[in-house]
Amino acid sequence: MYGCQQHLIKDSPEVMGFLEYICSEANKLTNCGIYYCRQMLFKAGKFLTRGELDKELKSNIHFKAMRSACAQQTLHSVIESFDSYKELLKLYKEEKLHFHPKPPNYRKKGGMAVVSYPSRWVKLVDNHLKFTLGNQVKAWFGIDHFLLHKPSNLEFETIKEYRILPRNGCFYIEFVYKQPEVKPIKANNNVLGIDPGLNNWITVVSNTGKSFIIDGKKNNQKFVQIPTAKLKERLAQLCQQYGINFIETEESYTSKASFLDDDFLPKYGEKPERWKASGKRIKRGLYCSSNGSLINADCNGSANIIRKVSAQLGFDLTKACRAVLTLPNRYFLDSLSQKYRKRYECGFNPLVTSA
């Protein structure tokens, strides 16, 4: 089984220039591959194989401008897109598809495309990943490689492929790695509530008597929305892998209602006319219950997210008390090393997050 992780690349202008160069060349080579495949299809009615396209374009200037293994991966992605078109066309002719498929079209001129490095062409040097650029680039520019930091939470030997992804004016590196086979956790009554936010990336409260906050990135809503969506997707994947129930619920009134006072939690759009919270948020990060107890406001919201679904699923929330909601441990994203995760691994079934 394979998994993947993406990391934003923040490096020197020189390294960012290398990334822009190889992704630009990948875009140009992709269009060359699409052009040749389209011509062979339109004029000869033939779908090319990987080997045929590699042979035809190995002398292409954009092929030479990349590491040969990366150039081949780029052309193979072109063949995959035409193979998909071939299958769709077959379904259309069998009247199993209601629309007439179109052959792959060209990428935007001047754009950038994904560059894939098979693991055997990447070396580990002083905890940095060494990406070679190929002999032709060395002859042209006198440079044959660039370095990127290796993430601390992945073992180098488990990584099978590296992908440089140009996206939204930034570059990301995606690590495709082999995952060890895991046994599903035993069924239990533990539950973890996760509340994504802005000031705190995620706030987590469990019914085992623990809570914590992960402080990730910049206080910028546009920036935060990107990794939060990916976090939910990744959590859902991991939950399925480990046999954990993943429940996503709406979060209306979870920040206003008082968890300690067991306030009624209306659903979105169903607020009763005279509904009023027992407590209130008195300032950023602090919530006051009806008897004056001060707790972390985000923990109050996270605990209420669990309570949103606790009635029908029967969670025991007695350990989610004032002490748990008052002093959550705070961790920064960069500190969540593999060693830390192994030390604090524990099973939760199910896991609840807000929509």
Side-chain angles (χ1 to χ4, degrees):
M1 183 177 291
Y2 291 88
C4 63
Q5 287 187 19
Q6 288 184 14
H7 295 256
L8 177 67
I9 300 175
K10 295 186 290 185
D11 216 300
S12 66
E14 183 180 31
V15 170
M16 302 305 283
F18 292 148
L19 301 181
E20 183 175 347
Y21 168 76
I22 61 175
C23 290
S24 297
E25 291 300 315
N27 191 71
K28 295 172 184 175
L29 182 61
T30 297
N31 281 338
C32 290
I34 291 174
Y35 174 80
Y36 189 71
C37 285
R38 287 172 65 98
Q39 292 301 303
M40 289 299 295
L41 180 60
F42 298 155
K43 293 183 178 181
K46 180 180 180 180
F47 286 91
L48 296 178
T49 65
R50 292 184 178 187
E52 289 172 333
L53 187 59
D54 287 347
K55 182 178 179 180
E56 180 62 31
L57 293 184
K58 65 180 181 180
S59 60
N60 181 281
I61 188 67
H62 304 301
F63 189 104
K64 291 182 176 181
M66 302 174 64
R67 186 72 170 83
S68 59
C70 301
Q72 288 177 340
Q73 292 285 93
T74 297
L75 293 180
H76 292 174
S77 67
V78 173
I79 294 297
E80 289 173 2
S81 65
F82 274 87
D83 285 344
S84 297
Y85 167 67
K86 182 180 180 181
E87 292 301 315
L88 290 174
L89 194 61
K90 180 181 177 182
L91 291 174
Y92 177 77
K93 291 179 179 179
E94 294 174 352
E95 298 184 348
K96 296 179 180 179
L97 194 67
H98 69 279
F99 64 92
H100 194 296
K102 296 182 180 180
N105 211 338
Y106 300 104
R107 294 181 59 85
K108 182 179 178 181
K109 185 178 180 179
M112 291 182 282
V114 175
V115 175
S116 298
Y117 273 85
S119 60
R120 64 181 179 275
W121 298 115
V122 179
K123 305 298 180 184
L124 185 63
V125 180
D126 295 329
N127 210 38
H128 283 74
L129 300 168
K130 181 180 178 181
F131 295 85
T132 53
L133 292 168
N135 295 329
Q136 190 65 60
V137 174
K138 184 178 181 180
W140 286 342
F141 306 114
I143 301 169
D144 64 355
H145 73 275
F146 63 92
L147 300 175
L148 293 177
H149 292 283
K150 186 188 84 66
S152 60
N153 64 336
L154 286 177
E155 297 292 340
F156 176 72
E157 295 76 14
T158 66
I159 303 174
K160 299 302 178 184
E161 186 179 10
Y162 303 82
R163 297 171 183 159
I164 307 298
L165 310 176
R167 183 180 297 155
N168 301 319
C170 301
F171 289 98
Y172 294 81
I173 181 167
E174 183 175 74
F175 302 92
V176 180
Y177 57 93
K178 188 173 182 179
Q179 293 181 318
E181 292 188 8
V182 296
K183 295 181 180 179
I185 66 169
K186 294 181 180 179
N188 58 63
N189 293 319
N190 296 346
V191 60
L192 198 69
I194 299 179
D195 184 20
L198 283 177
N199 297 318
N200 297 318
W201 187 30
I202 58 172
T203 302
V204 181
V205 171
S206 77
N207 67 341
T208 63
K210 293 184 179 180
S211 60
F212 61 89
I213 291 173
I214 296 180
D215 191 338
K217 288 165 183 82
K218 299 175 181 178
N219 186 13
N220 179 295
Q221 188 165 3
K222 182 178 179 181
F223 188 82
V224 169
Q225 285 175 341
I226 299 172
T228 300
K230 293 185 179 299
L231 173 69
K232 289 183 182 180
E233 180 182 348
R234 183 59 179 149
L235 281 175
Q237 292 172 353
L238 288 172
C239 286
Q240 183 178 16
Q241 181 182 352
Y242 283 86
I244 298 173
N245 295 326
F246 180 83
I247 303 169
E248 189 169 4
T249 183
E250 51 89 21
E251 57 181 338
S252 53
Y253 303 100
T254 53
S255 61
K256 295 181 179 179
S258 172
F259 176 82
L260 295 181
D261 293 298
D262 200 28
D263 282 353
F264 172 67
L265 288 167
K267 294 181 180 179
Y268 179 76
E270 298 182 2
K271 179 183 175 182
E273 289 186 12
R274 297 183 180 181
W275 184 91
K276 184 179 181 181
S278 301
K280 61 180 179 180
R281 186 189 293 258
I282 57 175
K283 64 178 182 179
R284 175 183 289 185
L286 206 59
Y287 188 94
C288 182
S289 67
S290 62
N291 66 359
S293 297
L294 299 179
I295 58 175
N296 182 279
D298 288 333
C299 284
N300 178 71
S302 182
N304 276 329
I305 284 173
I306 300 178
R307 205 157 60 86
K308 276 272 183 178
V309 296
S310 63
Q312 61 266 39
L313 298 179
F315 301 143
D316 180 5
L317 302 181
T318 55
K319 291 186 178 180
C321 56
R322 176 186 172 188
V324 175
L325 306 181
T326 303
L327 295 173
N329 290 324
R330 181 178 291 273
Y331 303 103
F332 290 88
L333 194 61
D334 293 341
S335 70
L336 300 183
S337 64
Q338 190 175 49
K339 181 179 179 181
Y340 168 83
R341 295 199 327 272
K342 286 182 177 179
R343 189 180 2 164
Y344 288 95
E345 276 183 348
C346 55
F348 290 90
N349 191 0
L351 181 150
V352 182
T353 185
S354 65

